[in-house]
Amino acid sequence: MNQHPRRVMKTVLGFDSWTGGAANFARLVPAFREHGLDLVVLHIGSWGGDPGRPAREFKGDLELRDISHYGGKSIDEVLEVEQPAAVLFLSNEVFAHRAFNRYSLAAGIPTLLLYHGLVSVQGVASEKPYKVNPLSQARFVLERLPKALLRIWPAYGRALVKTSATREDWTRFVKDIFNMGFGRYSVRAAEDSRTTRVAVYTQADQAHAIAKYGQPPESVAIVGNPDLHAFGVGPADLGIAASAATVERSEIIYIDTGLIYAGMVFDGAAEFLEHLERTHDALRRASKTLAIKLHPDHFRTDMPDRIAALGIEILNNQNFVSRLKACAAAIVEPSTAALIPGLVGVPLLLAGYGKLSGQAFGEVLTSYPRARHLLDPSAVTDLLLEESRSFDAEAIQRWLDANSGPLPGELMPSRVAATIIEMIETAGASLSCAA
């Protein structure tokens, strides 16, 4: 009896600093396997960013390996052991990721940077898309300094030496240490942050990838927004709540970005809670109620319990969109999740009060026809009334067409897989020509 030959899987090695981004890799696994790709993630959590993780573990079908799994090998030695067909990053500006990118490209291995959110919701045209809170930033830096001194900076310095870095590379190394220490955003990334290709959610971030990483336009793939599927937003939901009558509704939903965990804006949990309490009280006086969609980082702390004690309901992924469809508006900080209420069609109130006074927002959000800057939560009713009088269904539809990305969103992993296969085939063809 004839047997079909077994398909040989090509290994794609994901690289990350910790396991916190595992969900962004895990959703790719089924589609990757359908395309003949085996995704394994290497992380350096035991260097201090994610201590206590097993040397090898599984998150569903995704295999994660801490660098300790390799018995003391350096990251370049791990690359030699694994010899992947391609390398996948979710971010590529921190030094460890840049080191691994240098090693990969030097070895002729194509690399892909997959944006794990929509960057253009932030004010990334400036070096300060968020206000840095000095005390919070100092704590943020001091907590990470031992790891940087003992692990990260030596590993990156070694990569510079082994890949014959230029004087400009070394100068950028020193400059970036200071910029990161002061919480400054780099409008133009370092040369060794540039990967073979980049994959972004929507067309808005294509321009960002070209400008920030110096990518040629043809090297930036637009793969769709997986958050649409994660939150249960289908093509039929786009603009479904776009109605001037939303002003009559009572619930306002706050969408948080976890700024306190990045040393930004708030000086820790107490200030953030005070901010929410002020918002809650102001809305209550305006006969509105407040619910909140929290950033996942909060669920590693007691923050959800403390917020619930204020009488603020916490929404989850299952009820988030259904509540958006019935709400009066969403108060948002800059995040990918802030795009969802806009795609559903409700007004966006860009938080610019209290500690968020002067907060920058990206063009994706400010260009939404139903977006308004909220400078005082007690003025929410007047602001929504003004918005309802300028309601423009055609302008909203044009914005939806420009910012929803390729549909359906659940095919995003297949589009990423196709991009990687194309990279691998192009690299193989280049090697054949060189031979």
Side-chain angles (χ1 to χ4, degrees):
M1 183 169 124
N2 293 329
Q3 292 184 339
H4 293 289
R6 188 177 176 187
R7 181 169 58 171
V8 177
M9 303 286 281
K10 293 182 174 66
T11 297
V12 176
L13 190 62
F15 186 87
D16 213 345
S17 293
W18 66 326
T19 61
N24 296 295
F25 286 112
R27 64 180 163 217
L28 304 174
V29 172
F32 273 38
R33 287 181 177 172
E34 289 177 6
H35 286 77
L37 302 174
D38 183 25
L39 177 61
V40 177
V41 174
L42 164 67
H43 69 92
I44 53 172
S46 61
W47 283 9
D50 198 3
R53 306 301 316 176
R56 182 171 178 259
E57 61 183 309
F58 286 83
K59 298 283 187 181
D61 292 331
L62 176 68
E63 182 178 353
L64 298 114
R65 300 174 188 165
D66 183 76
I67 194 165
S68 62
H69 173 74
Y70 296 90
K73 285 184 167 57
S74 59
I75 56 175
D76 55 311
E77 291 170 337
V78 172
L79 187 67
E80 291 175 6
V81 169
E82 292 295 341
Q83 296 187 353
V87 169
L88 175 63
F89 300 97
L90 298 179
S91 63
N92 214 35
E93 286 195 81
V94 295
F95 291 124
H97 296 216
R98 286 160 56 179
F100 205 71
N101 190 47
R102 293 185 76 98
Y103 287 133
S104 300
L105 295 178
I109 300 168
T111 61
L112 175 71
L113 170 60
L114 170 61
Y115 279 30
H116 62 285
L118 193 65
V119 176
S120 297
V121 297
Q122 304 170 42
V124 290
S126 164
E127 289 188 352
K128 294 184 178 181
Y130 297 98
K131 291 191 297 183
V132 176
N133 183 286
L135 291 176
S136 188
Q137 177 68 12
R139 286 193 295 268
F140 182 83
V141 170
L142 289 174
E143 287 172 0
R144 289 157 178 76
L145 189 57
K147 179 181 72 169
L149 288 169
L150 297 175
R151 293 286 195 176
I152 303 298
W153 295 346
Y156 182 68
R158 184 172 186 264
L160 291 178
V161 172
K162 293 197 70 174
T163 57
S164 303
T166 65
R167 177 182 294 179
E168 289 76 15
D169 291 327
W170 287 98
T171 301
R172 181 64 188 248
F173 181 20
V174 175
K175 178 182 177 182
D176 284 346
I177 288 174
F178 282 96
N179 283 341
M180 291 176 185
F182 288 103
R184 295 185 188 128
Y185 174 80
S186 296
V187 175
R188 182 63 182 256
E191 288 294 318
D192 55 17
S193 290
R194 186 188 303 163
T195 48
T196 307
R197 294 199 68 179
V198 172
V200 299
Y201 287 3
T202 72
Q203 188 173 356
D205 271 356
Q206 185 180 39
H208 178 268
I210 293 168
K212 184 172 181 68
Y213 296 100
Q215 297 285 154
E218 63 273 14
S219 74
V220 183
I222 304 171
V223 296
N225 186 347
D227 286 346
L228 298 184
H229 180 62
F231 291 130
V233 178
D237 295 314
L238 298 179
I240 195 170
S243 165
T246 53
V247 66
E248 301 170 0
R249 301 170 183 170
S250 61
E251 185 167 76
I252 305 285
I253 296 174
Y254 191 105
I255 300 176
D256 153 70
T257 62
L259 294 171
I260 62 174
Y261 305 109
M264 302 297 177
V265 182
F266 301 103
D267 181 18
E271 276 198 353
F272 178 60
L273 283 166
E274 183 181 336
H275 170 76
L276 291 182
E277 187 171 20
R278 177 191 171 190
T279 305
H280 182 42
D281 291 343
L283 294 180
R284 186 165 48 197
R285 289 192 296 271
S287 299
K288 301 292 185 185
T289 60
L290 180 65
I292 188 166
K293 182 68 172 67
L294 286 175
H295 189 278
D297 281 350
H298 287 297
F299 292 96
R300 297 183 289 126
T301 72
D302 65 349
M303 182 62 77
D305 292 335
R306 298 173 71 179
I307 291 173
L310 297 175
I312 301 172
E313 183 181 356
I314 298 170
L315 304 181
N316 55 41
N317 283 1
Q318 287 67 47
N319 64 9
F320 177 45
V321 171
S322 63
R323 296 285 283 273
L324 278 175
K325 292 176 183 178
C327 77
I331 298 175
V332 301
E333 300 171 3
S335 72
T336 304
L339 189 69
I340 301 299
L343 293 174
V344 170
V346 298
L348 291 182
L349 304 179
L350 311 180
Y353 57 92
K355 286 287 184 176
L356 285 164
S357 179
Q359 174 61 53
F361 288 83
E363 187 178 358
V364 169
L365 298 181
T366 59
S367 64
Y368 177 53
R370 307 200 75 184
R372 297 293 185 275
H373 289 277
L374 182 62
L375 307 181
D376 181 353
S378 65
V380 67
T381 301
D382 290 340
L383 198 60
L384 291 177
L385 283 170
E386 181 276 324
E387 187 281 324
S388 69
R389 287 192 290 268
S390 60
F391 182 82
D392 186 338
E394 292 184 1
I396 293 169
Q397 187 58 53
R398 288 194 296 271
W399 183 88
L400 290 171
D401 293 341
N403 291 286
S404 56
L407 298 171
E410 56 262 37
L411 292 184
M412 173 265 199
S414 292
R415 298 183 189 108
V416 176
T419 300
I420 288 181
I421 288 171
E422 185 179 334
M423 282 192 339
I424 293 170
E425 291 175 348
T426 300
S430 297
L431 287 174
S432 298
C433 291

